[in-house]
Amino acid sequence: MNHERSSALFQQARTSIPGGVNSPVRAFKSVGADPLFIKRAAGCTIYDEDGNSFIDYVGSWGPMIVGHCHPRVVEAVKRAMDNGASFGAPTELEITLADMVIAAVPSIEMVRMVSSGTEATMSAIRLARGHTGRDKILKFSGCYHGHADALLVKAGSGAATFGVPDSPGVPADFARHTLTAEYNSLESVGQLVAENRDNIACIIVEPVAGNMGTVPPREGFLEGLREICSNEGIVLIFDEVMSGFRVAYGGAQELYGVTPDMTTLGKIIGGGLPVGAFGGSREIMEKLSPSGGVYQAGTLSGNPLAMTAGIETLTLLKEPGFYDKLEEKSRQVAEGIANAARAAGYPLYSTRVGSMFCAFFTRGEVHDWPSAAACDTKAFARYFLAMLNEGIYLAPSQFETAFVSAAHDDAAIEKTIAAAAKCFKMIA
Ligand SMILES: *Cc1c(COP(=O)(O)O)cnc(C)c1O
């Protein structure tokens, strides 16, 4: 497969854009290759600058659940553009999308729109702190909540240590307020909560962890968090930027029947345009400026083009049977890949929640960051490059989720499974 033009563009990009990309994981660094430059996409297929085509399991990292360039979304956004790209004043579109989100997500009585998932989680945490008058926050090792200072923190040595910043430029003083527990371990949460009684504003969690591969919550984990937060006056935040409208129309909170106090959204609610949102109970949300004192703002928040793409996408998701069909496609492709590995005698731990799935290159089970980190990332890189060569575009990291869209048809799924069978034999 020829990547000449992509490689030339990457060289060119590196002179004007740090690392040649506008978001790090796009750089293919962890698989030791140059990124492909994409020209266009349609349905479940993306096309690169060299004229190669691929079946796409990245889906812009989650948003493209109805497939690329769905005609209804494209038409609606073109029409919205004719009315003006941005006004910096309220529009009816914002009420329409807000009401759709409120109707869908059990925990949300009021919602504020922002322009990215990072903005959503950052603002939700500020509001939780303003609401409780407490400074500390608790997150989980291996969970990603965007790149705000306080959230770029993983576990230090031992579960009970204070956070250490993951990145230069994050003051240790900021990271100090971030406690890190182990995903799926209520024990690690209980210990930190006991040591920091009346000081923790919120627990933020991906109810289905999707940024260390796909790691489902163990039975009782989300319920346990709910109980701890209710008992201790801690705001429970589900970061559903990835899982919202993905694992069910009402997100993981609908799927597992556990209702947090606040929820952050992004990805799918923008239908491919830049949108994030955070919402929760009326009591908490009314503390937000201008009805309350917790400040939060955005020049392009609630942008009419983005609202339109979101409204059209959510409307498509509401069609009867949408999630049942997506579940069946996702089951076929995830099981097909796992079976192909088994047939080749290749050790793999396969996980899936709805249309999110992951093939972990490990003999053990994966329930948290230490077990995810034990994967053979070199073997994954060989698999990734072999699959790419077969026309299958996976995320270029072991620690990412694969996304299935409604546009993945039988032929695409069959081709994917056949490619996996060939690639596992090749790398075994
Ligand atoms: C993608 C993601 C974010 C960050 O969203 P951006 O739009 O990239 O800022 C936050 N939380 C989760 C769970 C995500 O998957």
Side-chain angles (χ1 to χ4, degrees):
M1 192 177 281
N2 182 10
H3 300 311
E4 237 170 75
R5 195 167 150 69
S6 276
S7 294
L9 287 168
F10 187 49
Q11 293 316 318
Q12 194 186 334
R14 285 208 287 193
T15 67
S16 48
I17 302 168
V21 292
N22 279 311
S23 196
V25 76
R26 291 181 198 169
F28 280 29
K29 237 179 156 172
S30 73
V31 291
D34 286 355
L36 301 183
F37 276 63
I38 305 303
K39 189 159 193 166
R40 67 186 184 90
C44 70
T45 309
I46 54 169
Y47 302 84
D48 72 8
E49 288 281 356
D50 288 286
N52 304 306
S53 67
F54 304 87
I55 300 168
D56 179 25
Y57 289 95
V58 178
S60 187
W61 303 90
M64 312 315 294
I65 191 168
V66 297
H68 293 281
C69 286
H70 191 288
R72 291 245 313 258
V73 180
V74 172
E75 267 314 301
V77 173
K78 280 181 178 168
R79 254 183 290 123
M81 186 71 199
D82 285 337
N83 290 331
S86 179
F87 316 117
T91 61
E92 188 173 0
L93 294 166
E94 293 161 87
I95 312 173
T96 305
L97 187 56
D99 285 344
M100 290 176 93
V101 169
I102 290 164
V105 184
S107 63
I108 299 188
E109 292 174 0
M110 296 185 98
V111 63
R112 163 110 357 135
M113 296 294 166
V114 292
S115 298
S116 71
T118 293
E119 243 190 292
T121 57
M122 183 183 87
S123 309
I125 284 170
R126 181 180 304 146
L127 185 52
R129 284 172 161 158
H131 173 69
T132 56
R134 301 171 177 179
D135 284 343
K136 288 197 163 62
I137 65 172
L138 191 153
K139 74 176 285 289
F140 293 89
S141 187
C143 281
Y144 178 67
H145 305 292
H147 66 89
D149 280 346
L151 291 164
L152 275 185
V153 175
K154 63 184 172 193
S157 51
T161 48
F162 286 120
V164 183
D166 261 352
S167 160
V170 178
D173 269 0
F174 291 10
R176 196 164 56 82
H177 294 299
T178 304
L179 307 166
T180 311
E182 213 60 79
Y183 197 76
N184 273 326
S185 165
L186 288 174
E187 203 190 336
S188 70
V189 176
Q191 198 178 329
L192 287 168
V193 168
E195 286 165 10
N196 295 277
R197 190 139 274 145
D198 299 330
N199 288 319
I200 300 176
C202 63
I203 294 179
I204 184 165
V205 65
E206 289 180 72
V208 176
N211 287 286
M212 50 173 154
T214 309
V215 181
R218 281 190 133 123
E219 215 184 308
F221 178 59
L222 299 175
E223 291 84 350
L225 293 180
R226 178 64 278 177
E227 196 182 326
I228 291 170
C229 288
S230 298
N231 291 343
E232 302 287 338
I234 297 170
V235 176
L236 180 60
I237 305 175
F238 277 7
D239 180 357
E240 299 227 42
V241 169
M242 186 185 288
S243 59
F245 297 98
R246 171 56 71 178
V247 298
Y249 189 66
Q253 53 199 276
E254 176 192 312
L255 186 65
Y256 296 104
V258 178
T259 306
D261 302 299
M262 293 184 73
T263 300
T264 54
L265 296 166
K267 299 192 168 116
I268 288 173
I269 56 159
L273 274 79
V275 183
F278 62 104
S281 68
R282 191 170 296 278
E283 185 203 352
I284 297 178
M285 291 305 290
E286 282 194 330
K287 292 193 172 153
L288 202 60
S289 184
S291 52
V294 177
Y295 196 71
Q296 192 279 330
T299 301
L300 293 176
S301 294
N303 173 267
L305 304 185
M307 294 298 101
T308 300
I311 292 163
E312 287 303 317
T313 300
L314 265 48
T315 303
L316 290 165
L317 301 183
K318 281 208 294 196
E319 283 175 4
F322 181 92
Y323 286 92
D324 291 340
K325 279 182 243 162
L326 187 59
E327 169 75 19
E328 182 53 22
K329 289 174 196 288
S330 308
R331 188 190 63 73
Q332 283 175 13
V333 64
E335 282 182 8
I337 290 172
N339 290 340
R342 204 167 303 125
Y346 204 86
L348 204 68
Y349 183 69
S350 177
T351 58
R352 182 178 70 84
V353 180
S355 53
M356 296 167 59
F357 73 93
C358 184
F360 286 105
F361 282 61
T362 178
R363 284 173 201 283
E365 296 192 357
V366 177
H367 297 287
D368 50 26
W369 174 243
S371 49
C375 285
D376 185 347
T377 54
K378 290 209 174 73
F380 172 83
R382 291 199 297 279
Y383 169 72
F384 167 85
L385 293 171
M387 286 292 269
L388 195 65
N389 206 42
E390 295 296 317
I392 313 295
Y393 189 83
L394 302 169
S397 163
Q398 169 73 88
F399 306 116
E400 300 291 351
T401 287
F403 298 102
V404 184
S405 80
H408 286 79
D409 55 12
D410 288 346
I413 292 168
E414 274 164 37
K415 187 179 168 191
T416 305
I417 296 169
K422 187 173 166 188
C423 293
F424 282 122
K425 269 190 215 126
M426 209 174 344
I427 64 165

